[in-house]
Amino acid sequence: MAVAVALGLAPTTGGAAGQESRGAGRPLGSPGTETSVSRSAFLMGTRLDLRIEGPGTRARLLAVSEAVLAEVRRFEALLSTWDAATPLSQANRAAVGEPFPLSPELRALLGTVLQWSSATGGAFEPRVGALVQAWDLRGEGRAPDSAALAHAVAVSGAAGMTLNSEGTVRHDAEAWLDAGGFGKGAALDAARRMLIEQGVDRAHLNFGGQLLLTGAPPGKPMGWTVSVAHPRRRGEPFATLRVRDASVATSGASERTVEVDGRGVGHVLDPRTGGPVPAWGSVTVVAEDPLAADILSTALFVLGPEEGMSLAGSLPEVGALFLELTADGAVSAHWTDSMRQWLVDSPPHATTYPPHATANSLGRLERPRS
């Protein structure tokens, strides 16, 4: 799950072997015909649905799909914190105060991830193992007392774990790093690179709700159609996007809760305070980089609609759509100027929101309670 404090990258229980099927009416394919291949696999504790299309034989597209799935499996074997044998788990279990060497790939990835922690003012922070433990998010759930919560916050982030220039990571306290807020994005970025390497420019990947969309379906040059759900009623579409060559990620508090003292607590915690993020709505991010989309959907949700909109408005390469629940049950939608290119319909009303976000013009749409 794409959250600041996550249960993410849970163990695979259904096997990673994909089940492939050919689209109805699609030919087996020859070098000059259009073919499609669909695969499904259970990876990183969630489902990955993959569809690739293009000229060539079905055998070739099957080989490409297997290469993509293999890349995602490789990232699961690199980043899962449910498997004690992965490099990230080994780093998390290193002795306090002792530098632990990282592979060049893992060091580069964590370097990028931690840069996002700084850029978001700590709204996104993967070094939150102490908070995961304090709330028992991987167990039955509990509400920590104020002292336990304050301690967990104090030993999270850079205070608890540092990445050193020589390529090592060191625990300064009982912190550990959870990949739930960036693992899917990192795996989808690797899948994107594999598709480019294999010469496939039309693909639709749905990885536990985060999408990677390359090219466009035949006859739809604007891209793939994406429905953004109502923030409270997940089965009800609220907005429609049309996206190509980008990733789409959504974060909200309605997706998963843990019961604590008889009440549901949202699975997204604010790393700065240690407390659950209020269920104010949802935020959807569109970005060319799947890792950035994964991380920013979490960070903007943690920041909330006003601070989040201000940050998103300063990132012209990123589109953001905020769906804010109002006191009377309505949904107020706000989006950055960069999101306009993906929205199917032009905004019926446009204002600047919030007033101090002058880097971009921002849209606002009020939809009444239904």
Side-chain angles (χ1 to χ4, degrees), residues 294-347:
D294 194 3
I295 289 172
L296 281 170
S297 68
T298 299
L300 297 180
F301 182 72
V302 170
L303 288 170
E306 186 164 335
E307 284 188 84
M309 183 70 104
S310 182
L311 174 61
S314 71
L315 302 171
E317 73 280 8
V318 173
L321 170 65
F322 293 78
L323 301 183
E324 183 181 2
L325 295 164
T326 62
D328 63 354
V331 175
S332 180
H334 327 294
W335 54 90
T336 61
D337 188 58
S338 299
M339 195 67 170
R340 292 179 185 274
Q341 64 183 305
W342 309 117
L343 286 166
V344 170
D345 299 316
S346 298

Side-chain angles (χ1 to χ4, degrees), residues 102-112 163-168:
L102 302 174
S103 68
E105 180 179 41
L106 184 55
R107 178 182 178 275
L109 173 59
L110 294 184
T112 299
L163 181 66
N164 303 309
S165 59
E166 64 269 21
T168 63

Side-chain angles (χ1 to χ4, degrees), residues 20-23 26 34-40 49-69 191-192 194-196 198-206 212 214 216 218 224:
E20 65 268 6
S21 61
R22 179 162 52 88
R26 295 286 187 179
E34 289 280 319
T35 312
S36 69
V37 166
S38 297
R39 305 284 299 273
S40 295
D49 293 317
L50 160 68
R51 179 180 179 87
I52 56 177
E53 302 177 349
T57 65
R58 183 169 180 268
R60 174 181 175 269
L61 292 190
L62 278 172
V64 173
S65 70
E66 187 54 47
V68 170
L69 290 175
R192 178 184 63 153
M194 180 60 68
L195 289 168
I196 293 172
Q198 297 292 328
V200 173
D201 60 3
R202 194 160 76 239
H204 183 295
L205 281 71
N206 184 338
L212 172 64
T214 67
W224 304 85

Side-chain angles (χ1 to χ4, degrees), residues 77-367:
L78 178 71
L79 298 175
S80 175
T81 54
W82 296 79
D83 181 353
T86 68
L88 185 58
S89 286
Q90 293 175 20
N92 280 336
R93 296 198 319 274
V96 172
E98 294 294 324
F100 183 86
L102 302 174
S103 68
E105 180 179 41
L106 184 55
R107 178 182 178 275
L109 173 59
L110 294 184
T112 299
V113 167
L114 296 182
Q115 285 177 355
W116 277 114
S117 174
S118 298
T120 61
F124 167 79
E125 175 53 71
R127 296 164 291 190
V128 288
L131 282 170
V132 173
Q133 298 295 111
W135 285 91
D136 192 25
L137 291 181
R138 294 191 172 191
E140 296 181 357
R142 63 169 170 263
D145 60 34
S146 58
L149 186 60
H151 176 73
V153 172
V155 300
S156 295
M161 198 172 191
T162 55
L163 181 66
N164 303 309
S165 59
E166 64 269 21
T168 63
V169 66
R170 187 181 71 185
H171 300 261
D172 296 316
E174 63 266 34
W176 51 272
L177 195 148
D178 180 49
F182 67 88
K184 288 192 303 183
L188 284 175
D189 191 38
R192 178 184 63 153
R193 293 194 300 269
M194 180 60 68
L195 289 168
I196 293 172
E197 179 182 312
Q198 297 292 328
V200 173
D201 60 3
R202 194 160 76 239
H204 183 295
L205 281 71
N206 184 338
F207 198 8
Q210 182 173 355
L211 305 177
L212 172 64
L213 308 165
T214 67
K220 298 182 179 179
M222 296 300 294
W224 304 85
T225 300
V226 177
S227 293
V228 179
H230 187 286
R232 184 165 286 160
R233 299 185 289 275
R234 303 301 296 168
E236 178 183 320
F238 183 90
T240 302
L241 311 177
R242 201 154 284 143
V243 179
R244 61 177 298 159
D245 301 321
S247 183
V248 184
T250 298
S251 287
S254 65
E255 298 168 0
R256 189 182 302 180
T257 60
V258 175
E259 186 171 325
V260 176
D261 295 337
R263 64 187 180 92
V265 173
H267 70 295
V268 185
L269 302 182
D270 186 338
R272 302 166 301 175
T273 66
V277 177
W280 59 263
S282 68
V283 58
T284 296
V285 171
V286 181
E288 180 180 344
D289 179 4
L291 179 61
D294 194 3
I295 289 172
L296 281 170
S297 68
T298 299
L300 297 180
F301 182 72
V302 170
L303 288 170
E306 186 164 335
E307 284 188 84
M309 183 70 104
S310 182
L311 174 61
S314 71
L315 302 171
E317 73 280 8
V318 173
L321 170 65
F322 293 78
L323 301 183
E324 183 181 2
L325 295 164
T326 62
D328 63 354
V331 175
S332 180
H334 327 294
W335 54 90
T336 61
D337 188 58
S338 299
M339 195 67 170
R340 292 179 185 274
Q341 64 183 305
W342 309 117
L343 286 166
V344 170
D345 299 316
S346 298
H349 305 288
T351 63
T352 299
Y353 177 86
H356 59 274
T358 57
N360 276 344
S361 59
L362 307 171
R364 182 180 176 98
L365 167 66
E366 302 286 348
R367 183 168 294 188

